[in-house]
Amino acid sequence: GDGAFKAVFDVLPGDEDCTTTDFFSEAELDALACEPVARETRARKARVLRAFELHHVSHGENAWVATEMLLQWAVFVVVSRVIGIYENDGRCAKYLIPVVDMCNHSMTAPHELQCRSDSFRVIAGRDIPLGEEICIRYGGGTIGNDRLLQDYGFVEESNLIDSGIRNEIARAGTGTVIRLQRAEALLAELGNDEATEAALKDYGMDVTEEQSERRAANRANILRFRRNSRLVLQSLVTELRAKG
């Protein structure tokens, strides 16, 4: 409609923008080859389904959420606009900040989002030419592609922060040799770009012109995610070999 909130509604994400892992099929989750992300995504989906079922049990015919997918979209709208800010105690607090939530992410952005006692401010890291897009670093530039893909629906090239992979290696044990073996095993499982393409074909995700924009975006994100996972693992292997 043309109400007071039309401008807000006009910029809400559409179906083609729902590219977080919450909208991945099981085959697409498997193709990511990242168990921590798949595990968390399945848990998130289960919570949304449970909330949807409880809503309909409680409200019956008066339930205002028509479908589970609509509730999933509503959760995505909120989560994808939440920005994490690390506080003095090292805790990452999450906020919904109108206007600031329109800023895109760039790991190389010189601008910084700061939290004061009574306000949030974006501090320019350099002069900004008229018309230039203002980007910030989500989470202060300390989050990896595991979080970026799950919460915001995109993958950043050459991001070596991936906490999901690093935690997976840490769970293998405390010894350097054990962790190195786990990292090398995961790296071998990922293979090269050709292996990734083959994996996508095995999962039946060849995208044709008739298929949705979201599915094409998922495929592109999977390719970028696996490529970046190899970089993270290669970096870890180098680090662990140096320690050994």
Side-chain angles (χ1 to χ4, degrees), residues 3-227:
F5 294 100
K6 182 179 184 303
V8 175
F9 294 146
D10 285 346
V11 297
L12 290 179
D15 182 74
E16 70 281 0
D17 300 311
C18 298
T19 54
T20 63
T21 54
D22 295 321
F23 298 93
F24 275 29
S25 67
E26 282 296 309
E28 289 167 331
L29 278 179
D30 288 340
L32 274 178
C34 185
E35 182 55 33
V37 170
R39 184 168 54 245
E40 182 177 338
T41 298
R42 291 182 178 113
R44 283 163 51 145
K45 285 185 175 184
R47 287 197 296 270
V48 170
L49 175 59
R50 181 59 177 159
F52 175 75
E53 292 173 342
L54 288 174
H55 174 67
H56 275 260
V57 168
S58 301
H59 297 279
E61 294 181 356
N62 296 320
W64 57 270
V65 180
T67 66
E68 179 191 349
M69 185 56 68
L70 182 59
L71 179 58
Q72 188 71 72
W73 173 82
V75 171
F76 165 72
V77 169
V78 175
V79 172
S80 64
R81 273 157 175 70
V82 166
I83 297 175
I85 298 178
Y86 280 89
E87 302 186 335
N88 293 334
D89 60 1
R91 183 176 59 91
C92 183
K94 295 185 176 182
Y95 299 91
L96 280 170
I97 313 171
V99 180
V100 174
D101 66 1
M102 301 299 292
C103 291
N104 283 323
H105 165 82
S106 172
M107 191 64 76
T108 60
H111 317 304
E112 182 180 356
L113 174 61
Q114 294 184 356
C115 176
R116 303 287 177 87
S117 60
D118 59 350
S119 64
F120 296 95
R121 300 181 181 181
V122 176
I123 306 300
R126 59 167 172 76
D127 291 341
I128 304 171
L130 181 66
E132 178 179 283
E133 178 183 13
I134 298 176
C135 294
I136 59 176
R137 290 168 290 151
Y138 292 176
T142 61
I143 56 178
N145 281 324
D146 50 339
R147 288 260 59 86
L148 292 176
L149 182 55
Q150 286 184 90
D151 295 343
Y152 302 105
F154 66 88
V155 173
E156 186 172 49
E157 302 285 353
S158 302
N159 186 338
L160 300 181
I161 300 174
D162 201 306
S163 59
I165 291 177
R166 292 179 181 273
N167 290 339
E168 187 77 5
I169 300 301
R171 279 194 292 268
T174 57
T176 299
V177 173
I178 293 175
R179 292 187 176 186
L180 176 58
Q181 290 174 342
R182 181 57 177 156
E184 289 176 333
L186 290 174
L187 187 58
E189 289 174 14
L190 280 173
N192 54 23
D193 282 351
E194 289 72 21
T196 301
E197 289 282 3
L200 292 173
K201 290 179 180 178
D202 289 342
Y203 285 115
M205 293 193 303
D206 285 325
V207 176
T208 65
E209 292 183 358
E210 292 76 24
Q211 290 176 308
S212 69
E213 291 183 27
R214 186 201 300 169
R215 195 172 183 191
N218 289 353
R219 177 189 176 91
N221 274 334
I222 290 169
L223 285 167
R224 283 192 290 266
F225 187 90
R226 287 180 62 135
R227 188 176 298 126

